[in-house]
Amino acid sequence: MKERKNIEVWSDYDVCGNWYIAIRKKKGSLKLEEIREIAMDWEQDFYALIIEAVDKDFQDYYNWDFEGDFVRLYRATDFLKCE
């Protein structure tokens, strides 16, 4: 995966055990095309975009460390499975 200035990318699991890609841009705003390119570089798949849309008061209340833009990409195929 190529280096991107001011952007951190990692994979993790949420509290329910669902895998996701986390993308954080420290300065400036993430653009949709930028998110798509990062996801393609990580692993080509279909993703659902989860946006952390909370203000500073909410972040402080839960003691979360969100600087800049932050998004989570979940595998869309995990949510689209037929049972």
Side-chain angles (χ1 to χ4, degrees):
M1 183 168 181
K2 72 179 184 179
E3 293 264 335
R4 295 176 187 269
K5 189 174 182 180
N6 294 320
I7 296 178
E8 296 175 88
V9 183
W10 67 94
S11 64
D12 204 350
Y13 292 89
D14 65 15
V15 295
C16 295
N18 298 306
W19 180 90
Y20 66 88
I21 299 172
I23 304 171
R24 178 181 295 154
K25 188 170 188 176
K26 295 177 184 178
K27 293 182 181 180
S29 299
L30 283 164
K31 308 287 188 272
L32 185 57
E33 182 60 25
E34 191 172 40
I35 294 168
R36 188 186 71 79
E37 288 174 3
I38 290 167
M40 285 181 63
D41 286 349
W42 189 272
E43 181 180 349
Q44 293 191 24
D45 204 341
F46 293 93
Y47 293 99
L49 173 64
I50 306 300
I51 301 169
E52 302 287 347
V54 296
D55 62 21
K56 181 158 177 25
D57 292 338
F58 187 81
Q59 292 172 18
D60 290 344
Y61 180 76
Y62 286 98
N63 198 26
W64 290 342
D65 182 23
F66 290 109
E67 290 184 22
D69 276 358
F70 178 78
V71 297
R72 290 182 186 178
L73 301 178
Y74 286 87
R75 282 193 181 108
T77 51
D78 291 345
F79 296 99
L80 301 175
K81 292 180 183 172
C82 294
E83 296 191 25

